Amino acid sequence: MDLTQEIADRVRAATGPLRIAGAGTKAWYGRAVVGEVLDLTGHSGIVDYDPSELVVTARAGTPLAEIEAAIAAHGQMLAFEPPAFGTLGGAVATGLAGPRRPFTGAVRDYVLGVRVLDGRGDVLRFGGTVFKNVAGFDAFRLMSGAQGTLGVILDVSLRVTPRPRVEVSLAFDMAGGPARDWVTGLMVRPLPLSGAFHDGERLHLRLSGGEAAVSQAAAELGGEAEGLELWSVLRDLKHPALAGPVLWRIALPQTADIPALEGRLAWDWGGGQVWLSAEAADPQVWTKAAAAGGHATLMRGGKDQVFQPLEPALFKLHQRIKAALDPAGIFNPGRMHEGL
């Protein structure tokens, strides 16, 4: 029997919650889900890849490492730079993007189409495999960051990009506040920036592009040359600045002041993503993040509430979307918020 049909039959036969599971490498992200495991690890493999069209389609259980190796052989990459561990389905479901995110775009910007199972066990196709798709509502983008609460992702078509010819990393002895202001100014200029991270003590910039553009920018900016491995460590959330028992990720407008918070602060995305490593989970972080025009996620150190509490009107909108795709509420219930 076709594996998709087997998964669909499991969904139709479900009498209670289903906990969608892949490699399990991102099980720590989000609230705990109690339910029968729906294992997708066997649903893997690259379905189609045309380097000339810059599109790859793969099943949800395909390891990211397999996809990245295949496209790297043709000088291409995933520009949103997801954590390298886990599967394609997990990368899309969590919506986690790496240091390139403010310079190249979010996960959802590279999802061209998906095939999903809805809560009735029906296979739905959203989007397609071309860059310009204007047929219907962009429902495929809803799957990015939905944590599997809207449907079972079967396969995904992604836009890939050419790898930069040259990359260099530069370090600067600069405090976080002045560094953030400086980087904000740099980001409005046509510089080949692909990363801007402050570890709490030093600023790190990555330049990516053609040899002439990178060399000229590096000479202008100055700084101390360093290895590129820092960016892989940061991409995989393993940098020492993120190592505390409690870890918050706070998304803010780049020009907003960072709230006064207890713990070690670092920032990424040119100042748009703040990391707070602390000893205890302070519920005031959600309030302070909202007051600054952003939102916070408790990445490590708590399970009762992980994501920024939703305003009532927004919560009702989430409920309506959930009901349309998963009317019985069987997919990862409560993974993001209680009642969804």
Side-chain angles (χ1 to χ4, degrees):
M1 181 185 296
D2 178 73
L3 187 53
T4 298
Q5 187 61 52
E6 289 184 19
I7 299 170
D9 289 345
R10 286 276 309 279
V11 171
R12 295 190 191 102
T15 58
L18 293 175
R19 179 165 61 86
I20 303 171
T25 57
K26 297 181 181 69
W28 50 268
Y29 186 49
R31 302 173 76 241
V33 175
V34 177
E36 181 183 353
V37 174
L38 184 62
D39 188 355
L40 300 181
T41 52
H43 192 66
S44 66
I46 295 174
V47 177
D48 185 57
Y49 173 42
D50 187 342
S52 65
E53 293 294 332
L54 299 175
V55 175
V56 61
T57 300
R59 297 184 180 93
T62 310
L64 277 176
E66 179 180 332
I67 296 171
E68 294 199 308
I71 65 178
H74 294 274
Q76 297 172 354
M77 68 177 187
L78 300 178
F80 53 92
E81 203 171 22
F85 50 81
T87 62
L88 173 60
V92 173
T94 58
L96 295 176
R100 293 185 201 273
R101 199 292 193 182
F103 307 98
T104 57
V107 178
R108 63 179 177 272
D109 299 322
Y110 290 86
V111 176
L112 299 174
V114 295
R115 258 192 343 132
V116 301
L117 276 172
D118 69 7
R120 304 171 185 84
D122 295 332
V123 177
L124 308 178
R125 183 183 295 276
F126 299 117
T129 58
V130 294
F131 293 174
K132 294 183 179 180
N133 187 346
V134 295
F137 181 62
D138 287 351
F140 56 93
R141 300 192 193 279
L142 294 175
M143 299 300 156
S144 176
Q147 295 275 17
T149 59
L150 299 180
V152 180
I153 299 174
L154 295 173
D155 51 59
V156 182
S157 293
L158 290 175
R159 176 164 60 98
V160 301
T161 62
R163 297 185 68 85
R165 294 179 63 87
V166 178
E167 289 193 307
V168 301
S169 185
L170 304 172
F172 303 80
D173 290 317
M174 189 179 298
R180 197 162 176 253
D181 293 338
W182 185 50
V183 169
T184 299
L186 294 179
M187 290 179 66
V188 301
R189 297 177 53 196
L191 295 170
L193 280 171
S194 64
F197 169 65
H198 197 283
D199 61 15
E201 298 178 355
R202 306 185 84 198
L203 171 66
H204 306 269
L205 297 180
R206 181 175 57 185
L207 304 174
S208 305
E211 184 173 351
V214 169
S215 296
Q216 181 177 345
E220 176 190 343
L221 296 174
E224 175 187 341
E226 62 179 355
L228 289 166
E229 58 272 8
L230 173 145
W231 301 98
S232 297
V233 172
L234 181 60
R235 165 187 175 167
D236 290 341
L237 308 178
K238 294 180 179 179
H239 191 278
L242 283 57
V246 172
L247 180 66
W248 293 89
R249 185 183 69 167
I250 307 168
L252 296 173
Q254 192 176 2
T255 56
D257 291 336
I258 297 175
L261 300 164
E262 291 292 331
R264 178 179 179 179
L265 286 172
W267 53 256
D268 193 8
W269 296 2
Q273 176 172 257
V274 176
W275 295 103
L276 172 64
S277 179
E279 294 298 320
D282 180 0
Q284 289 299 310
V285 173
W286 283 296
T287 303
K288 292 181 178 181
H295 62 272
T297 302
L298 185 54
M299 303 288 285
R300 183 171 61 245
K303 287 297 179 183
D304 293 334
Q305 186 172 325
V306 172
F307 297 97
Q308 183 83 24
L310 297 175
E311 296 294 330
L314 188 56
F315 185 79
K316 288 181 180 179
L317 175 60
H318 278 250
Q319 285 182 313
R320 291 200 296 271
I321 296 173
K322 171 83 168 172
L325 293 170
D326 181 20
I330 61 173
F331 293 142
N332 283 0
R335 183 74 175 178
M336 298 188 71
H337 301 279
E338 187 175 354
L340 285 179

